[in-house]
């Protein structure tokens, strides 16, 4: 049976960075995220004995052999759970450029998990889908639930999963993703997680983590945007400071990244409440309340060297779609 799923990418407000178990992708800390309404992957999967081998295609982009093999490894996990040895056809499409710090692996592997398990005849709960998606890409477990999400680090496969902490409508926030670079990053996040412990600041980062998460949840409860933004921006600087002090150091920023950050600080100096965060890439996620969207967009659009701005509201979790890609 042909099944299609749509999943949204997510932006980490508190980052997943560093793993306590590499194979199971168990993180060293809990993370918090917002689902991104406009950054979506659509994936159609069909298992059949008519297919001699797995066929993987991404519309509009070329997948490397490494990327194809990562998808096949996830199909293998699904086949193992279902105890079925059928090859699959997978066709997938992103609404945004992959591997540029907009978490295409999160939406990609969440969509593959939901479509793939259903297509092979499995009926999994949200928690089971989240744990399974995590094995392919950590942040993908946060793209299964809806709205604002927490990934509990847990200490085993079954206990490390994400769940919704607030529905999308709880707080009308925006993530305006300023795309300054569309070419894929040179160092994958999988590699970077394994290097995290080489920074002398990694242990320090973890020491303050529980308190930071508590404070962010408090800001959520009070819908106190300034308190929220200060924590989110500090967290982004913190993770990138660890990345820049690893051995060898990794710098995802470009001169344009810094220009946008300075622009955001300039807006704040003019009493416009906007903060930024960054994943493992140069593109800047500008976080604001909905009522300031127009004002901030018109400022950002006047900045130089911007390729695109993707406007995101809090998005849904992964779901099944009637339309198919083949
Ligand atoms: O899920 P991965 O292995 O692509 O790691 C994601 C890491 C960050 O994007 C840097 C942070 C996060 O929590 O999404």
């Amino acid at each position: 049976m042909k099944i299609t799923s749509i999943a949204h990418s997510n932006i980490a407000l508190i980052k997943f960075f560093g793993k306590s178990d590499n194979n199971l992708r168990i993180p060293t800390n809990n993370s918090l995220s917002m689902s991104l309404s406009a950054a979506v992957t659509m994936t159609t999967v069909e298992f059949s004995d008519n297919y001699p081998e797995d066929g993987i295609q991404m519309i509009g982009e070329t997948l490397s052999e490494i990327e194809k093999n990562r998808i096949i490894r996830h199909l293998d996990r699904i086949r193992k759970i279902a105890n079925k040895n059928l090859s699959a056809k997978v066709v997938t499409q992103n609404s945004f450029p992959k591997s540029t710090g907009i978490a295409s692996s999160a939406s990609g592997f969440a969509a593959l998990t939901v479509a793939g398990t259903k297509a092979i005849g499995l009926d999994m709960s949200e928690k089971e889908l989240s744990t399974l998606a995590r094995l392919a890409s950590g942040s993908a477990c946060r793209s299964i639930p809806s709205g604002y999400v927490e990934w509990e680090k847990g200490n085993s496969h079954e206990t490390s999963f994400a769940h919704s902490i607030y529905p999308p409508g709880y707080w009308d926030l925006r993530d305006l993703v300023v795309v300054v670079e569309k070419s894929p990053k040179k160092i994958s996040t999988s590699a970077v997680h394994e290097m995290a412990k080489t920074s002398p600041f990694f242990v320090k980062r973890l020491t303050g983590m529980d308190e930071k998460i508590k404070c962010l949840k408090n800001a959520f409860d009070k819908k106190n945007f300034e308190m929220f933004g200060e924590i989110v921006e500090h967290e982004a600087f913190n993770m990138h400071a660890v990345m820049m002090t690893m051995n060898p150091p990794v710098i995802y920023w470009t001169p344009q990244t810094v220009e946008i950050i300075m622009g955001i600080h300039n807006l704040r100096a003019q009493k416009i409440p906007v903060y930024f965060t960054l994943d493992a890439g140069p593109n800047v996620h500008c976080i604001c309340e909905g009522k300031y969207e127009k004002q901030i967009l018109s400022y950002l659009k006047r900045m130089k060297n911007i390729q695109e701005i993707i406007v995101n509201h809090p998005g849904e979790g992964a779901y099944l779609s009637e339309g198919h890609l083949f």
Side-chain angles (χ1 to χ4, degrees), residues 12 14-16 25 31 105 137-140 142 189-190 193 239 243 279-280:
I14 300 286
K15 312 290 182 184
F16 153 44
R25 287 183 201 268
S31 53
S105 67
S137 164
S139 53
R142 295 190 314 240
T189 40
S190 297
H193 285 295
M239 180 183 76
M243 286 178 170
D279 269 352

Side-chain angles (χ1 to χ4, degrees), residues 10 16 19 24-25 70 74 77 103-110 113 130-143 151 189-190 193:
N10 66 79
F16 153 44
K19 289 178 272 190
L24 289 178
R25 287 183 201 268
R70 200 168 161 196
H74 201 50
R77 290 183 190 106
S104 52
S105 67
S107 52
F109 282 110
T113 303
S130 180
T131 55
L132 179 57
R134 190 201 75 241
L135 294 175
S137 164
S139 53
C141 79
R142 295 190 314 240
S143 277
W151 173 7
T189 40
S190 297
H193 285 295

Side-chain angles (χ1 to χ4, degrees), residues 196-267:
K197 289 178 185 137
T198 65
S199 164
F201 303 122
F202 182 63
V203 174
K204 177 79 184 139
R205 166 177 166 74
L206 292 182
T207 315
M209 199 43 99
D210 287 349
E211 186 57 26
K212 201 190 281 189
I213 291 175
K214 208 169 118 199
C215 290
L216 190 66
K217 285 182 172 170
N218 188 22
F220 258 116
D221 285 346
K222 295 190 168 120
K223 292 191 188 164
N224 181 331
F225 186 71
E226 194 174 88
M227 194 197 272
F228 173 89
E230 292 289 335
I231 298 166
V232 167
E233 196 166 294
H234 182 269
E235 163 65 357
F237 273 129
N238 180 309
M239 180 183 76
H240 281 270
V242 175
M243 286 178 170
M244 288 175 191
T245 49
M246 295 186 310
N247 187 12
V250 171
I251 303 173
Y252 283 113
W253 301 15
T254 67
Q256 284 74 35
T257 310
V258 180
E259 270 176 41
I260 308 294
I261 292 174
M262 299 316 257
I264 287 170
H265 287 182
N266 189 23
L267 278 167

Side-chain angles (χ1 to χ4, degrees), residues 1-7 40-47 59 89-93 110-120 318-326:
M1 204 195 343
K2 206 184 283 181
I3 297 284
T4 298
S5 169
I6 292 177
V40 230
T41 301
M42 183 174 190
T43 300
T44 302
V45 182
E46 182 176 46
F47 287 94
I59 296 170
K89 177 170 176 174
V90 177
V91 178
T92 186
Q93 185 170 30
L112 182 66
T113 303
V114 171
T117 52
K118 201 79 184 167
I120 210 163
Y319 58 95
L320 296 173
S321 145
E322 298 284 306
H324 303 300
L325 289 174
F326 65 89

